[in-house]
Amino acid sequence: MLIVANWKAYVESVSKAKALVVSAKKLGIKKGVEIIIAPPAPYLGLLVQKRSTIAFASQDISDSTGGASTGEITAALLHDLGVSYTIIGHSERRAMGEQDARISSKVQRALAQGLIPIVCIGEHERDSEATYLQFLRAQVSSIFSPLELQERRRVILAYEPLWAIGKSAAESITPHDLHEMVLYIRKVVSDFLPGAAADKIPVLYGGSVEPANIRLLASGSQVDGFLVGHASVEVATFSALVKAIS
């Protein structure tokens, strides 16, 4: 089970960042759980260790190749730091105007430098005609279409329905509905990967994940892990969350 802790901008002190990493390293020795920490970019150089029980991701990445690109964080820079993963296309980045074409460019740049992209997809709302499924299909297609076969095998997808974000565990997605979405996403991916290869693409869930609902969501949905936001920035809460599924 893969747990991606996206700290967003909640953590704004070095002492808290270090305490969270120490706790995560202890949790990382639990069987069946792989932890990836995505701290704010300025902390990456301070926290990343190439030999650890946890791995590190950037919260975003530039599609620039470097050079005269002030303020950009390139894939080559992250790879050199020892970062292994990068989150791409998070709903908060999409809300700021990021479109599928740029997300696709970022995915290609990450893969070219040896980073594993964790690409977020998800509908804004659901409708009775199920047109949101076509919206999801278009997002998945834009990610996989430009890639070579071997590149497609290295992508991680994070299903992040915007309508579920910010709700309580009781109001969030049900295991049954999540299971249906995981199956649908894999069906779309099967258009780009042969045979059983589509089933090997990790599909994570992100959307109001808490210690109160993570075990239920994990056991009834065939999801491969979780993209966790606010619940990952307090030691006690994150520990409870990881222990619930370990």
Side-chain angles (χ1 to χ4, degrees):
M1 190 65 64
L2 189 62
I3 305 293
V4 183
N6 178 17
W7 292 358
K8 305 186 181 185
Y10 288 118
V11 180
E12 297 180 285
S13 77
V14 171
S15 60
K16 183 172 184 178
K18 288 183 176 179
L20 285 167
V21 167
V22 168
S23 175
K25 285 180 179 178
K26 294 177 181 177
L27 293 168
I29 64 175
K30 292 185 175 296
K31 293 182 179 180
V33 177
E34 180 182 354
I35 296 174
I36 300 171
I37 301 291
Y43 289 154
L44 283 168
L46 176 69
L47 300 175
V48 170
Q49 296 177 3
K50 296 184 179 180
R51 294 183 180 181
S52 176
T53 57
I54 60 175
F56 288 87
S58 64
Q59 296 180 11
D60 190 25
I61 194 173
S62 173
D63 59 353
S64 168
T65 56
S69 301
T70 301
E72 296 296 295
I73 301 173
T74 65
L77 183 155
L78 292 167
H79 183 267
D80 189 60
L81 276 177
V83 174
S84 303
Y85 301 82
T86 179
I87 299 171
I88 297 175
H90 191 278
S91 61
E92 291 163 0
R93 304 300 304 178
R94 291 179 186 266
M96 295 169 66
E98 194 161 272
Q99 302 293 321
D100 286 344
R102 190 170 187 211
I103 290 166
S104 173
S105 177
K106 289 182 175 186
V107 170
Q108 294 173 68
R109 184 61 51 204
L111 289 166
Q113 291 296 330
L115 300 178
I116 299 174
I118 302 167
V119 193
C120 299
I121 58 173
E123 72 275 14
H124 291 80
E125 58 186 6
R126 295 193 163 188
D127 59 287
S128 57
E129 291 78 27
T131 56
Y132 65 91
L133 294 177
Q134 295 306 311
F135 180 80
L136 272 176
R137 177 177 286 275
Q139 286 187 325
V140 174
S141 297
S142 70
I143 295 162
F144 284 92
S145 292
L147 303 180
E148 300 293 334
L149 181 60
Q150 290 306 314
E151 292 177 321
R152 292 171 180 174
R153 296 177 188 272
R154 297 174 56 211
V155 173
I156 296 173
L157 294 176
Y159 174 55
E160 188 189 26
L162 275 69
W163 57 266
I165 296 173
K167 293 186 177 180
S168 67
E171 297 174 307
S172 186
I173 196 167
T174 66
H176 177 268
D177 287 346
L178 180 55
H179 184 211
E180 287 192 338
M181 293 311 302
V182 170
L183 292 177
Y184 178 75
I185 290 166
R186 292 199 186 285
K187 183 177 182 298
V188 177
V189 172
S190 69
D191 291 342
F192 302 95
L193 283 168
D199 293 334
K200 296 181 180 179
I201 296 296
V203 179
L204 314 182
Y205 173 69
S208 300
V209 180
E210 303 171 5
N213 69 345
I214 191 169
R215 178 178 291 178
L216 188 63
L217 290 174
S219 63
S221 66
Q222 293 188 5
V223 76
D224 298 299
F226 297 89
L227 175 62
V228 184
H230 190 261
S232 71
V233 297
E234 297 297 336
V235 169
T237 305
F238 189 60
S239 296
L241 190 146
V242 173
K243 289 175 182 177
I245 58 168
S246 62

